[in-house]
Amino acid sequence: RISPSTFSQITMQGQTTPTITSQKVAVIGAGVSGLVAARELHQEGHQVVVFEQNNKIGGTWAYEPNTDSDLLSLDPSRTIVHTSLYESLRTNLPREAMGFRAYPFIAKEEDKLRDPRRFPGHREVLHYLEDFVSEFGLSELIRFETEVVHIEFMEQRKCAVRSRTKDGNVDNEVFNAVVVCNGHHTVPNVAEVPGIDVWPGKQIHSHNYRVPNPFSEKVVVLVGGSYSAFDISREIAGVAKEVHVASRYITNANPTKQLGYDNLWLHSMIESAHEDGTLIFQDESSVVVDVILHCTGYKFDFPFLDRDVVTVDDNRVGLLYQHIFPPKLAPWLSFVGLTWKFATFPLYEVQSKWVAGILSGKISLPTQDEMILDVEAFYLKFEADGVPKRYTHNIWDYQFKYYDWLAAQCRILPIEEWRNQMYAATGMNMNVRPETYRDEWEDQNLILQAHDEFLQYYM
Ligand code: FAD
């Protein structure tokens, strides 16, 4: 059994202080960030209500075979499915490094329904989250099938949360604080292709990709250069006539065939689309194409917040101090889970811990003006470095520094060295063994170190 006092074990000795104030807090969403926020807030002594529009926990990890009614997800009146997972998805991180620090993601080999692989399929991640909910008694905090439709910030720092159940019942309830954990892998970003209006083929976003069969014998172009394009292009190549990946990261003068495949080519970006079905690439090659599959990421979307609360400009959510607090509404409004390109679970865990500690008064924030100056300096650095706004919440370059800064605020130990090294080893393994990194690796020593540490969680 896992000890419920887990996080105190990574707390620096002698530095815990008692809870000062208990707040009534609304958490929006019961995905990874909402669940871990609920756990941290609850543990800190706050009174927590989690609003979840779905009838189950897990968010992204609650796989659905059905998709949005519009496969490109542009029609505002479409039926929306929250998750973007495809049937065959396996994690791109090893379970030791992926799981929460307070609740290791350990393989349960004795349970035959479980997937003990080191890089398990998505169902195993959902089982892990279900275990997390049951271990920390979170289910009683969650109101399922209840969508938050509006948040109003009132006098005396109170927030009125309007929610609507599936049956159409609308309720207004006042909270002291709101933590937004609504995820950012549901509203697709679609590549702009000159001439696309006259191009006769089909378009779909990877948000709506589930299985490869519909692409059988088709000529498919995938746009994108990240994990989804990598995995889905390989899966589709097993059934399609031809697969062409167009990415801004590929700058070759000519298309190149992907090693190990007869029908998978890598191109620079699409230059134009034409009435006869042809796509022309920047590398000057051209192909007659049946389907464009956009693996081009997602947009932040907060339909329940008024536009003057936070802005979303080219996927920059502003202003947010440390990607979490809008200075003018801190600490009554916070966002957990906006940052990307990191092992999300442990990071959202420490973000939640910080929010919980600030709401209880255990941890202090700088003044409003200091927070604004800090964010403005951050933006100026972005501009000086010529980085587009859309990368504002991509923390890849400073992820460990960011984690450790939050950890120091919360007075817990920095990220474990083995975890740090495991991310690096996994990245290198992906480059060396792109086809088999999930089943072959060389960081056995780090697995042993992780398991040594996990032992302390068992009584
Ligand atoms: P979500 O999981 O999106 O959860 C948000 C929740 O909020 C949902 O349950 C939703 O129903 C609810 N909600 C939204 N709006 C409202 C509202 N108005 N009212 C009430 N409820 C609402 N991460 C990894 O660590 N490893 C991986 O291998 C990995 N693979 C991934 C593969 C894909 C294809 C994708 C898309 C993501 C992957 N990720 C991976 C990142 C993944 O998104 C995070 O692990 C995590 O699921 C994000 O959790 P979240 O709670 O922030 O958001």
Side-chain angles (χ1 to χ4, degrees), residues 10-12 15-17 362 406-413:
I10 55 168
T11 302
M12 288 180 192
Q15 294 213 0
T16 43
T17 41
K362 242 163 73 171
L406 287 169
Q409 296 292 308
C410 301
R411 300 187 198 139
I412 61 166
L413 295 175

Side-chain angles (χ1 to χ4, degrees), residues 28-35 51-54 56-61 82 84-86 89-93 98 146-149 181-186 228 298 303-304 336-337 342-345 348:
I28 303 177
V32 173
S33 44
L35 293 175
F51 291 89
E52 172 51 58
Q53 65 192 6
N54 203 344
K56 53 190 163 209
I57 63 127
T60 291
W61 296 100
H82 185 83
S84 301
L85 291 191
Y86 38 94
L89 184 130
R90 288 174 68 185
T91 64
N92 53 22
L93 281 173
M98 186 169 152
T146 310
E147 181 193 1
V148 170
V149 290
C181 303
N182 67 330
H184 52 89
H185 292 108
T186 297
S228 298
Y298 297 88
F304 42 82
V336 168
F342 187 80
T344 52
F345 291 53
Y348 299 168

Side-chain angles (χ1 to χ4, degrees), residues 48 67 107 115 119 167 230-231 237-238 243 269 274 304 335 343-344 352 378 382 390:
V48 183
T67 62
D115 174 354
F119 293 74
D167 320 330
F230 183 91
D231 282 342
V243 178
M269 274 308 279
H274 300 269
F304 42 82
F335 295 77
T344 52
S352 300
F378 176 67
F382 243 72
R390 63 177 178 275

